[in-house]
Amino acid sequence: MPHGSVFTGYFSADIFKGESMADNRMKQKERPPSAEGNGLQKSLKLIFVYTVATGSIFTYVSYWDSVFFSYCGAGTFLAFALMTVAILPTALVYSEISPLFKTAGGELIYNTVGFNKHVGFLASWLIMAAWISVPPAVVMAVATFISKLFNLNLNFQTTVIIGVVFLLLIFIMSLQDVQFLVKAQAFCLFANIATTLITAALILTSGHWSIANLADMFSFSSKASTLGIPAWIIGMALLITPYFGFETVPQMVEEGDFPINNTKKAICGSVLTCGAIYTIFFFCVAGLAPVKDLLAGDDANGFMTITAMQNLLGWKFWPIVYGCISILLGMTASILGFWMSTVRMLYSMGKKNFLPEVFTKVNKHQQPILPNIFLLAISLTFILLQNAGSFMNDFFNLMSFGCACAYALTMISAVRIHHRHPEWYANNRNVVPGGDLFRVLAMVIMVCIAFFCTLGQGVGSWISFAVYLGIGVAIWLWMVLVRWRNSKVVIETLDGEVEF
C-alpha cells in the first residue's frame, strides 16, 4: 500500500541511530525475568507504535462530522488547524518525558514521579475516561451506520445488541498476539486515510464546491457564548477529542523494539498526520453547501458528509464505499488502539501496585487477562446505561474534559520532574526548546482547553463523568485504606526502582 511504504520509510530511515540493534537486544536481556517471560514482550517496530497512535486519533471523521460542524460551522477546518498547533506543545512535552521511563504507564508514572501516587492515580483515571469512552461510543456508531446503510430503522435496544456483539468481537481480538493486533489496526488505518483523502478530492472537484460557503466561518455554533468567550472558541476547545491518542505511545514503549528516544516520531507524527488530514478534509466538506444545509434534518445526528454526498450530489456508490471503510475499518482501528492502551495502563497499575497484582496475569499470547475483562465490563455497562437521544454528545464531551484535565496535570508534572531530576535529561535528544517556558506554555494551553470544555458540558456528560469518577474513588479508597498500608507503589526510573 503506497501510504504504508511512505510512513515505513520515514520511520525506518534512522530508527537505530545512536543505538545498534545489538545494544537494544542487550537491554532487553537485562530486563527482570518476570517481565521477560510472563509479561509484555518487546516485539513492536516503531511504525506500528505510530499506527497505534494515529489509528486511535483518526476515527471521528465520518460519524462525528455533524458534531464538529455544529460546534464550529464552516470554520471547522480552521478550528482543526488551530487545535493542531495548540496540541503540538503538549505532544512535544510527552516526547520529552516518555524516554525517561521504559515501562507502560504514561500518565500514571509521570504524575506519580512529578507529584505523588494519589495524583498519579487521578491522572491515569482521567485519561482512561477518554480511552474507555471510545469502545462503547464507537460500537454504537458502527451499529447505527449499519442500520442507516441498510435502511433497517433499528430501535435502540437492537442497536445496543449489535454494539454488544461488536464489543465481544473486539474483546476476543484483544486477547490475541500483539503483532496480529497492530497489523490489523495498521491495515484499517491506511485504508481509512486513503479513502478519506480520495473523498476530499472528489468533493472538491464535484462542481458543487464553492468558496462562498466558507464566508461566515465564525458565525455558526450550537454552543452559547459564556463569560465573554465566543461560542466558536468553546466549540474549538471541544475538538481536543479528535486529537487524543498520541498519548497511547507511552503505553506501548514496554513492547517497543526500538531506541526509546524515537517515540517522538510516533507521538508528533500521529498529531501532524491527523491534523493535516482533518484540515484538508473539512475544508473540502465546508465548501459543499452552507452549514445549515449540511446540518439540516437527520444530518445533524451523524454521518453528515455521507448524507450530503447522497442528497446534495446525488451520489449512490461512493458514499457507501467511503462509509464502509471509514466507519467499519476506521473505527475498528480506533477501538483497537484505545483498547490496547487501556489494557496496558491497567496492567501497569497492577505492576506498580496501583491495582491488585492479578491485573498483571497474561495469557499465552502475553495479553493481560483481567484488564481485558475489566474493560469489557465497563464498556458494556456504559452501553446499557447510556441515553438513546444524547449518548453521542455526552460521550464526546466526557472524552474532551477527561483528556484535557489529564494533559494539564501531566504538563505540571513535566515541569516538576525537570526541576527535581535535571540529570535525567542529559542524554535526552527530545528536550523541548525554551525549557520550562515551553512546558509552562503547554500547561497553560491545556488548562485553558480544560476550562473551555467545562463550559461545553451538558448534564448528561456530568452524570456520566460522576459515575465514572465514583468507580475510581472506590478503587482508590480501597488502595489507600487496605493495600497501600502494607505495600508501596514502585516506579522504575533512571535511578532504579523508587518507592512512593
Side-chain angles (χ1 to χ4, degrees), residues 273-300:
T273 298
C274 295
I277 299 172
Y278 284 146
T279 303
I280 293 169
F281 182 78
F282 288 115
F283 173 79
C284 295
V285 173
L288 190 56
V291 65
K292 292 185 178 179
D293 292 340
L294 291 173
L295 292 172
D298 191 53
D299 298 6

Short mmCIF file of all heavy atoms in Angstrom, two decimals, residues 273-300:
data_model
loop_
_atom_site.label_atom_id
_atom_site.label_comp_id
_atom_site.label_asym_id
_atom_site.label_seq_id
_atom_site.Cartn_x
_atom_site.Cartn_y
_atom_site.Cartn_z
N THR A 273 0.02 14.08 11.22
CA THR A 273 -0.69 13.33 10.18
C THR A 273 -2.19 13.60 10.25
O THR A 273 -2.84 13.96 9.26
CB THR A 273 -0.44 11.82 10.32
OG1 THR A 273 0.96 11.56 10.15
CG2 THR A 273 -1.22 11.04 9.26
N CYS A 274 -2.75 13.41 11.44
CA CYS A 274 -4.20 13.56 11.60
C CYS A 274 -4.63 15.02 11.45
O CYS A 274 -5.67 15.31 10.85
CB CYS A 274 -4.63 13.00 12.95
SG CYS A 274 -4.37 11.22 13.10
N GLY A 275 -3.83 15.95 12.00
CA GLY A 275 -4.18 17.36 11.89
C GLY A 275 -4.25 17.81 10.44
O GLY A 275 -5.16 18.55 10.04
N ALA A 276 -3.29 17.36 9.63
CA ALA A 276 -3.28 17.74 8.21
C ALA A 276 -4.49 17.17 7.48
O ALA A 276 -5.16 17.88 6.70
CB ALA A 276 -1.99 17.24 7.56
N ILE A 277 -4.83 15.91 7.74
CA ILE A 277 -5.97 15.29 7.06
C ILE A 277 -7.28 15.91 7.51
O ILE A 277 -8.17 16.18 6.70
CB ILE A 277 -5.98 13.77 7.29
CG1 ILE A 277 -4.71 13.14 6.72
CG2 ILE A 277 -7.21 13.13 6.64
CD1 ILE A 277 -4.54 11.68 7.06
N TYR A 278 -7.43 16.14 8.82
CA TYR A 278 -8.63 16.81 9.32
C TYR A 278 -8.85 18.14 8.62
O TYR A 278 -9.95 18.46 8.16
CB TYR A 278 -8.50 17.08 10.83
CG TYR A 278 -8.68 15.88 11.73
CD1 TYR A 278 -7.95 15.80 12.92
CD2 TYR A 278 -9.58 14.86 11.44
CE1 TYR A 278 -8.11 14.72 13.78
CE2 TYR A 278 -9.74 13.79 12.29
CZ TYR A 278 -9.00 13.72 13.46
OH TYR A 278 -9.15 12.66 14.32
N THR A 279 -7.79 18.95 8.56
CA THR A 279 -7.90 20.30 7.98
C THR A 279 -8.28 20.23 6.51
O THR A 279 -9.18 20.95 6.05
CB THR A 279 -6.57 21.05 8.16
OG1 THR A 279 -6.22 21.10 9.55
CG2 THR A 279 -6.69 22.48 7.63
N ILE A 280 -7.61 19.38 5.75
CA ILE A 280 -7.90 19.25 4.32
C ILE A 280 -9.32 18.75 4.09
O ILE A 280 -10.08 19.31 3.28
CB ILE A 280 -6.89 18.30 3.65
CG1 ILE A 280 -5.49 18.92 3.66
CG2 ILE A 280 -7.31 17.95 2.23
CD1 ILE A 280 -4.39 17.95 3.27
N PHE A 281 -9.69 17.71 4.80
CA PHE A 281 -10.99 17.08 4.57
C PHE A 281 -12.14 18.03 4.90
O PHE A 281 -13.07 18.20 4.10
CB PHE A 281 -11.11 15.81 5.40
CG PHE A 281 -12.41 15.07 5.20
CD1 PHE A 281 -12.61 14.28 4.06
CD2 PHE A 281 -13.44 15.17 6.11
CE1 PHE A 281 -13.81 13.61 3.86
CE2 PHE A 281 -14.64 14.51 5.92
CZ PHE A 281 -14.83 13.72 4.79
N PHE A 282 -12.08 18.68 6.06
CA PHE A 282 -13.20 19.53 6.46
C PHE A 282 -13.23 20.86 5.70
O PHE A 282 -14.29 21.50 5.62
CB PHE A 282 -13.21 19.73 7.97
CG PHE A 282 -13.62 18.49 8.72
CD1 PHE A 282 -12.74 17.83 9.54
CD2 PHE A 282 -14.89 17.96 8.54
CE1 PHE A 282 -13.11 16.68 10.20
CE2 PHE A 282 -15.28 16.80 9.19
CZ PHE A 282 -14.38 16.15 10.03
N PHE A 283 -12.10 21.26 5.13
CA PHE A 283 -12.11 22.40 4.21
C PHE A 283 -12.93 22.03 2.97
O PHE A 283 -13.75 22.83 2.50
CB PHE A 283 -10.68 22.77 3.82
CG PHE A 283 -10.59 23.81 2.74
CD1 PHE A 283 -10.76 25.15 3.04
CD2 PHE A 283 -10.34 23.45 1.42
CE1 PHE A 283 -10.69 26.12 2.05
CE2 PHE A 283 -10.27 24.41 0.43
CZ PHE A 283 -10.44 25.75 0.73
N CYS A 284 -12.71 20.84 2.45
CA CYS A 284 -13.46 20.40 1.27
C CYS A 284 -14.93 20.23 1.57
O CYS A 284 -15.80 20.64 0.78
CB CYS A 284 -12.87 19.09 0.74
SG CYS A 284 -11.18 19.24 0.12
N VAL A 285 -15.26 19.66 2.72
CA VAL A 285 -16.67 19.45 3.08
C VAL A 285 -17.39 20.78 3.28
O VAL A 285 -18.54 20.95 2.88
CB VAL A 285 -16.78 18.59 4.35
CG1 VAL A 285 -18.22 18.50 4.84
CG2 VAL A 285 -16.25 17.18 4.08
N ALA A 286 -16.72 21.76 3.92
CA ALA A 286 -17.35 23.04 4.22
C ALA A 286 -17.79 23.78 2.97
O ALA A 286 -18.78 24.53 3.00
CB ALA A 286 -16.40 23.91 5.04
N GLY A 287 -17.07 23.61 1.86
CA GLY A 287 -17.43 24.31 0.63
C GLY A 287 -18.53 23.66 -0.16
O GLY A 287 -18.97 24.19 -1.19
N LEU A 288 -19.03 22.52 0.33
CA LEU A 288 -20.05 21.80 -0.41
C LEU A 288 -21.41 22.48 -0.35
O LEU A 288 -22.17 22.49 -1.32
CB LEU A 288 -20.17 20.37 0.15
CG LEU A 288 -21.02 19.36 -0.61
CD1 LEU A 288 -20.56 19.24 -2.06
CD2 LEU A 288 -20.97 18.01 0.08
N ALA A 289 -21.73 23.10 0.80
CA ALA A 289 -23.03 23.77 0.98
C ALA A 289 -22.96 24.62 2.24
O ALA A 289 -22.08 24.43 3.08
CB ALA A 289 -24.15 22.73 1.08
N PRO A 290 -23.90 25.57 2.41
CA PRO A 290 -23.97 26.32 3.67
C PRO A 290 -24.13 25.36 4.85
O PRO A 290 -24.78 24.31 4.72
CB PRO A 290 -25.20 27.21 3.49
CG PRO A 290 -25.33 27.35 2.01
CD PRO A 290 -24.89 26.05 1.43
N VAL A 291 -23.56 25.72 6.00
CA VAL A 291 -23.55 24.80 7.13
C VAL A 291 -24.95 24.39 7.58
O VAL A 291 -25.19 23.26 7.99
CB VAL A 291 -22.74 25.41 8.30
CG1 VAL A 291 -23.42 26.67 8.84
CG2 VAL A 291 -22.55 24.38 9.40
N LYS A 292 -25.92 25.31 7.48
CA LYS A 292 -27.28 24.96 7.91
C LYS A 292 -27.89 23.91 7.00
O LYS A 292 -28.72 23.10 7.43
CB LYS A 292 -28.14 26.22 7.96
CG LYS A 292 -27.73 27.19 9.07
CD LYS A 292 -28.67 28.37 9.19
CE LYS A 292 -28.25 29.27 10.34
NZ LYS A 292 -29.13 30.46 10.47
N ASP A 293 -27.49 23.91 5.72
CA ASP A 293 -27.97 22.87 4.81
C ASP A 293 -27.29 21.54 5.11
O ASP A 293 -27.92 20.47 5.03
CB ASP A 293 -27.71 23.27 3.36
CG ASP A 293 -28.55 24.46 2.92
OD1 ASP A 293 -29.58 24.73 3.59
OD2 ASP A 293 -28.19 25.12 1.93
N LEU A 294 -26.02 21.61 5.46
CA LEU A 294 -25.30 20.38 5.79
C LEU A 294 -25.86 19.72 7.05
O LEU A 294 -25.87 18.49 7.17
CB LEU A 294 -23.81 20.68 6.00
CG LEU A 294 -23.01 21.07 4.75
CD1 LEU A 294 -21.60 21.49 5.14
CD2 LEU A 294 -22.95 19.92 3.75
N LEU A 295 -26.33 20.54 7.98
CA LEU A 295 -26.84 20.01 9.24
C LEU A 295 -28.36 19.88 9.26
O LEU A 295 -28.95 19.62 10.31
CB LEU A 295 -26.41 20.91 10.41
CG LEU A 295 -24.91 20.92 10.73
CD1 LEU A 295 -24.59 21.99 11.76
CD2 LEU A 295 -24.46 19.56 11.23
N ALA A 296 -28.98 20.04 8.12
CA ALA A 296 -30.45 20.00 8.07
C ALA A 296 -30.98 18.60 8.36
O ALA A 296 -30.39 17.59 7.98
CB ALA A 296 -30.93 20.45 6.69
N GLY A 297 -32.10 18.57 9.04
CA GLY A 297 -32.81 17.32 9.27
C GLY A 297 -31.99 16.29 10.02
O GLY A 297 -31.32 16.59 11.01
N ASP A 298 -32.00 15.07 9.50
CA ASP A 298 -31.34 13.96 10.18
C ASP A 298 -29.83 14.04 10.08
O ASP A 298 -29.12 13.31 10.78
CB ASP A 298 -31.83 12.64 9.58
CG ASP A 298 -31.41 11.43 10.40
OD1 ASP A 298 -31.69 11.44 11.62
OD2 ASP A 298 -30.80 10.51 9.84
N ASP A 299 -29.32 14.92 9.24
CA ASP A 299 -27.87 15.03 9.06
C ASP A 299 -27.18 15.40 10.37
O ASP A 299 -26.02 15.06 10.59
CB ASP A 299 -27.53 16.11 8.02
CG ASP A 299 -28.11 15.75 6.65
OD1 ASP A 299 -28.83 14.75 6.57
OD2 ASP A 299 -27.84 16.48 5.69
N ALA A 300 -27.90 16.10 11.25
CA ALA A 300 -27.30 16.55 12.50
C ALA A 300 -27.06 15.40 13.47
O ALA A 300 -26.38 15.56 14.47
CB ALA A 300 -28.21 17.60 13.16
#
